[in-house]
Amino acid sequence: MKNQRRIAIITGISLVLMAIFGIFSLGYAYTQFDNPEQSEFLKDIILANMGLYQSMLIGILIIIILDFIVSYTLYKYFENDNKKMSLLSGIIRVIYTLIFVIATYYLTKNLNTNELTNQKVISNYHKFQTIWNSGLVIFGFHIILIGWLMKLHHKIPKILWSITLLAGVSYMVTSFLKVVSPDSEFVETLIMILALPMTIGELGLAIWLWIKGGKGTTPKNSEL
């Protein structure tokens, strides 16, 4: 029980830290450079804000490390509910994280901005977006599995696992549409509508795990 509680706390804190660094790196810093109206000046913008660009990459690196940690700790936490499904969800999250690593590589190439043309800098950004969004489709499947494991866990409130399942579907749909139609206004509107469940899903689980996870937990399906 103590070990389960420890795993829950590590997972909860890791997910919260991922959210914090995600807000900074992908929610704030990334958007300072990802502006279609200023794409013709992207090289100059990065050069003028290299400190912010480097900080963004450091934040992404921390997110990647935490993603690998969470891939394992979520598996360990839910393995007594359904070991095969928990293992599958962990493997899928690792695959997503590796795809995220590949996508981030193209952002790191822009650190050599002086040696690149503006068109090449823009191309690296577009490759990051396409690869990352492709990975998020896989991530959505992982979240769906986590939502189902939360349901099997029985101790997690229905509203929380229901939102997580919706978040998983939202990730899959919006990310797929971003890949096939990256400039669609409809897709952007849909993302705004689904942003709330996508945010609450994993963050809600994080807070629950941090506060209540592993308290009084007893194995149910350890033979699976």
Side-chain angles (χ1 to χ4, degrees):
M1 189 182 299
K2 288 183 179 179
N3 187 53
Q4 192 79 343
R5 178 64 184 143
R6 188 181 304 113
I7 291 171
I9 292 173
I10 292 172
T11 307
I13 292 176
S14 296
L15 288 171
V16 170
L17 287 175
M18 285 175 64
I20 293 171
F21 283 104
I23 289 171
F24 169 73
S25 290
L26 300 169
Y28 169 68
Y30 180 80
T31 59
Q32 302 305 302
F33 304 102
D34 182 35
N35 187 339
E37 296 178 0
Q38 297 181 326
S39 60
E40 59 184 303
F41 308 111
L42 181 56
K43 176 178 177 177
D44 295 331
I45 293 172
I46 292 177
L47 284 171
N49 299 276
M50 184 56 73
L52 179 62
Y53 195 85
Q54 292 171 337
S55 297
M56 175 189 74
L57 289 175
I58 292 172
I60 290 175
L61 175 60
I62 293 172
I63 292 171
I64 288 170
I65 293 171
L66 291 171
D67 243 325
F68 280 120
I69 293 172
V70 168
S71 298
Y72 176 73
T73 58
L74 279 176
Y75 155 67
K76 292 301 293 181
Y77 186 80
F78 288 112
E79 69 173 335
N80 288 330
D81 298 292
N82 188 312
K83 189 168 185 176
K84 291 180 180 178
M85 186 183 295
S86 183
L87 178 59
L88 177 61
S89 71
I91 291 172
I92 290 173
R93 187 168 189 134
V94 168
I95 293 172
Y96 155 73
T97 306
L98 291 173
I99 293 173
F100 190 32
V101 169
I102 295 171
T104 303
Y105 164 73
Y106 288 98
L107 290 182
T108 64
K109 292 181 72 172
N110 285 343
L111 289 171
N112 300 317
T113 311
N114 280 323
E115 302 174 9
L116 304 174
T117 64
N118 190 68
Q119 192 59 41
K120 184 60 177 176
V121 172
I122 295 172
S123 175
N124 287 335
Y125 243 76
H126 287 167
K127 287 176 180 176
F128 167 78
Q129 292 171 331
T130 301
I131 296 171
W132 184 35
N133 280 310
S134 299
L136 284 174
V137 176
I138 297 173
F139 179 75
F141 184 46
H142 159 77
I143 293 298
I144 290 174
L145 290 177
I146 290 298
W148 193 255
L149 286 166
M150 290 165 66
K151 180 179 184 295
L152 295 178
H153 194 65
H154 297 304
K155 291 179 176 295
I156 300 176
K158 180 179 180 179
I159 183 64
L160 195 52
W161 61 255
S162 298
I163 292 175
T164 301
L165 287 171
L166 176 59
V169 174
S170 300
Y171 269 113
M172 293 186 73
V173 172
T174 57
S175 300
F176 175 77
L177 291 176
K178 283 285 285 185
V179 172
V180 299
S181 185
D183 300 318
S184 169
E185 291 186 7
F186 167 75
V187 176
E188 293 301 324
T189 302
L190 185 63
I191 290 174
M192 291 179 63
I193 293 173
L194 297 176
L196 187 59
M198 290 165 67
T199 302
I200 293 176
E202 204 171 29
L203 189 57
L205 172 61
I207 295 172
W208 186 89
L209 285 170
W210 193 349
I211 296 173
K212 300 189 67 175
K215 293 182 177 179
T217 301
T218 55
K220 294 179 288 298
N221 297 317
S222 56
E223 74 277 3
L224 293 178

